[in-house]
């Protein structure tokens, strides 16, 4: 997962200030499920299934999530696993076709649209952002005017994360409030830069707020309309939307929870104005739609070869086995060898992770608590994606 925890990463980093405890467990939480050991007598398919079920059990017990969902797609077919509950009051189960907020998994959608504009010669990848948004850096350091479109998408711009400036208590105090993207960007621009443009990698949601503004300036349409026209409608992603200021989630969905203090009961934050995330993380989707999108993207159906190649040119992030391209992560498949491409996403109430291989496998997992799960929640979600993507591959080991 992204260390800065996706669309609300800075808020999660600062959440200690309001007592959000990463290690707090819901009442009645069980101990971690034992890791399933593979034996020579066990067929690989059964072992994969048992390992995935053990991970889902951990997510909804020891890791602290009320509910979880995993959907996998590969040449063997589709599998959906659910665990826990969608609602801690009614104890309703998690629906197999649940929608949920996807946080920073919005970023690959935004990056795809920008790269489509590059392929159409409306945007130059290595041109300064100031060419398209001349007012953005007016009055700021000359180095800001050298930041390129590529550097925005790859998090090498040196721009600080606007979420590092916000007080999380203020966000939680009025979660339905509207936030203007330009105002959020200006918060970041008032802070010192983390590096010179192109010199270092540092995840910053500010980059993608600006990428959304770039799409709007070039196309003269809201970035959400461009994502819908170019990606959602062609791929028939009927469970995917950009809600704007809408605070509810349409269709079947689990409630989204946060834990506002150590030992405190879960707080229902399903209703949220996602303009706090904007183009860095506002979208709603489902595991089915996300798998379809990632499969189409990695499979070359959304970008021309040159632009897909640019998206997959990665930079080290400082985490072993993880590199970042243009809105897309490259990660090692440690259980079976090889790599996969994907992203993670965190926003109040929901955590999501997903990935796809060039061999045609996809997997997406969701848990309906964020922040407030354990530190192990990230690792178990990552393990679920990797285990699912390794199904049927030689060399897999639990």
């Amino acid at each position: 997962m992204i260390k800065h925890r996706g669309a609300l990463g800075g808020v999660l980093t600062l959440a200690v200030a309001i007592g959000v405890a990463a290690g707090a467990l819901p009442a009645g939480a069980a101990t971690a499920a034992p890791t399933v050991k593979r034996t020579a007598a066990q067929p690989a398919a059964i072992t994969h299934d048992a390992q995935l079920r053990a991970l889902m059990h951990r997510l909804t017990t020891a890791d602290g999530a009320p509910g979880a969902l995993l959907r996998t797609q590969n040449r063997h077919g589709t599998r959906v696993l659910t665990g826990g509950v969608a609602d801690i009051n009614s104890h309703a189960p998690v629906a197999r076709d649940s929608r949920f907020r996807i946080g920073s998994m919005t970023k690959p959608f935004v990056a795809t649209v920008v790269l489509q504009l590059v392929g159409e010669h409306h945007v130059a990848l290595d041109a300064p952002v100031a060419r398209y948004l001349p007012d953005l850096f007016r009055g700021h350091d000359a180095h800001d005017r050298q930041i390129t479109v590529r550097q925005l998408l790859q998090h090498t711009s040196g721009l600080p994360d606007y979420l590092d400036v916000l007080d999380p208590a203020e966000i939680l105090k009025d979660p339905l409030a509207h936030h203007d993207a330009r105002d959020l960007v200006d918060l970041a621009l008032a802070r010192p830069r983390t590096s010179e443009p192109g010199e270092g990698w540092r995840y910053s949601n500010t980059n993608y707020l600006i990428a959304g503004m770039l799409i709007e300036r070039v196309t003269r349409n809201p970035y959400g309309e461009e994502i819908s026209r170019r990606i959602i409608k062609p791929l028939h992603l009927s469970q995917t939307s950009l809600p704007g200021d809408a605070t509810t989630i349409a269709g079947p969905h689990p409630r989204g929870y946060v834990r506002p203090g150590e030992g405190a009961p879960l707080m229902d934050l399903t209703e949220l104005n996602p303009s706090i995330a904007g183009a860095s993380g506002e979208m709603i989707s489902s595991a089915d739609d996300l798998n379809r999108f990632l499969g189409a993207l990695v499979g070359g159906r959304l970008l021309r070869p040159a632009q897909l190649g640019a998206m997959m040119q990665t930079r080290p992030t400082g985490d072993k086995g993880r590199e970042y391209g243009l809105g897309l992560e490259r990660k090692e498949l440690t259980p079976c060898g090889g790599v996969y491409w994907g992203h993670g996403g965190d926003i109040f109430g929901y955590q999501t992770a997903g990935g796809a291989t060039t061999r045609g496998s996809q997997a997406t997992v969701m848990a309906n608590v964020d922040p407030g799960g354990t530190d192990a929640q990230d690792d178990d979600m990552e393990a679920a994606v990797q285990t699912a993507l390794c199904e049927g591959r030689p060399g897999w080991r639990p």
Side-chain angles (χ1 to χ4, degrees):
M1 290 291 293
I2 299 284
K3 287 297 183 186
H4 289 275
R5 302 296 300 276
L8 288 176
V11 171
L12 296 173
T13 301
L14 291 173
V16 176
I18 57 170
V20 174
L25 299 180
T31 57
T35 300
V36 177
K37 298 295 184 182
R38 182 176 178 180
T39 68
Q42 280 184 303
I46 295 175
T47 305
H48 273 96
D49 185 73
Q51 182 74 359
L52 288 172
R53 291 181 187 278
L55 288 164
M56 294 294 285
H57 179 69
R58 281 207 294 270
L59 283 170
T60 56
T61 55
D63 291 345
L69 179 149
L70 170 70
R71 186 180 182 100
T72 70
Q73 179 79 35
N74 56 37
R75 58 187 177 86
H76 302 292
T78 299
R79 173 189 295 159
V80 181
L81 297 177
T82 63
V85 298
D87 187 320
I88 61 175
N89 293 317
S90 70
H91 302 289
V94 176
R96 292 164 58 90
D97 59 346
S98 291
R99 292 99 186 264
F100 42 87
R101 302 189 191 280
I102 66 172
S104 277
M105 287 192 78
T106 299
K107 289 180 172 69
F109 287 85
V110 173
T112 297
V113 171
V114 173
L115 286 166
Q116 287 179 346
L117 294 171
V118 171
E120 296 162 7
H121 305 292
H122 298 305
V123 173
L125 196 53
D126 292 309
V129 175
R131 175 186 297 180
Y132 309 101
L133 297 168
D135 296 334
L136 184 64
F137 299 121
R138 186 163 293 164
H140 292 276
D141 190 280
H143 287 171
D144 288 347
R145 293 190 288 275
Q146 298 171 6
I147 294 170
T148 67
V149 176
R150 186 191 301 272
Q151 290 163 355
L152 280 186
L153 300 182
Q154 197 155 43
H155 296 298
T156 56
S157 69
L159 294 175
D161 195 331
Y162 73 94
L163 288 169
D164 290 341
V165 186
L166 292 176
D167 180 351
E170 291 300 314
I171 299 173
L172 290 176
K173 187 185 299 182
D174 189 4
L176 306 186
H178 169 78
H179 297 268
D180 182 75
R182 181 58 195 259
D183 290 342
L184 296 175
V185 169
D186 286 344
L187 286 176
L189 294 183
R191 303 275 289 191
R193 306 301 177 251
T194 60
S195 68
E196 296 297 325
E199 285 190 2
W201 186 90
R202 182 159 179 165
Y203 193 83
S204 173
N205 294 287
T206 306
N207 293 319
Y208 276 77
L209 290 185
I210 297 173
M213 296 163 62
L214 170 68
I215 292 170
E216 294 184 345
R217 180 64 62 89
V218 171
T219 66
R220 300 183 181 180
N221 292 317
Y223 71 87
E225 288 186 10
E226 290 297 314
I227 289 175
S228 180
R229 181 175 71 85
R230 293 167 175 270
I231 301 174
I232 294 175
K233 290 180 179 177
L235 294 182
H236 306 289
L237 306 182
S238 60
Q239 299 167 334
T240 301
S241 63
L242 290 100
D245 282 321
T247 61
T248 59
I249 301 174
H253 61 276
R255 308 300 295 178
Y257 297 98
V258 303
R259 188 175 295 283
E262 185 173 0
L266 292 170
M267 174 192 297
D268 188 329
L269 209 63
T270 310
E271 293 193 5
L272 172 75
N273 188 323
S275 63
I276 186 64
S280 75
E282 74 158 284
M283 290 179 69
I284 293 168
S285 191
S286 68
D288 185 20
D289 277 8
L290 288 174
N291 283 349
R292 194 179 310 170
F293 165 66
L294 289 171
L297 178 59
V298 172
R301 293 172 51 199
L302 292 173
L303 292 173
R304 298 172 183 178
Q307 280 70 56
L308 182 59
M311 178 177 259
M312 291 180 167
Q313 290 177 358
T314 59
R315 286 281 298 267
T317 64
D319 290 345
K320 183 179 179 181
R322 169 175 167 252
E323 297 182 350
Y324 203 94
L326 305 186
L328 199 63
E329 283 191 273
R330 178 188 186 274
K331 302 186 82 168
E332 294 178 3
L333 271 174
T334 53
C336 58
V339 301
Y340 77 96
W341 300 89
H343 214 282
D346 299 79
I347 191 166
F348 283 129
Y350 304 91
Q351 181 175 356
T352 310
T357 70
T358 55
R359 298 185 178 203
S361 298
Q362 305 96 43
T364 296
V365 63
M366 178 279 304
N368 64 333
V369 62
D370 196 88
T374 67
D375 291 338
Q377 181 172 308
D378 285 0
D379 294 335
D380 285 338
M381 294 186 75
E382 174 71 16
V385 171
Q386 293 216 15
T387 301
L389 293 176
C390 281
E391 184 173 13
R393 296 274 301 276
W396 179 85
R397 60 187 185 279

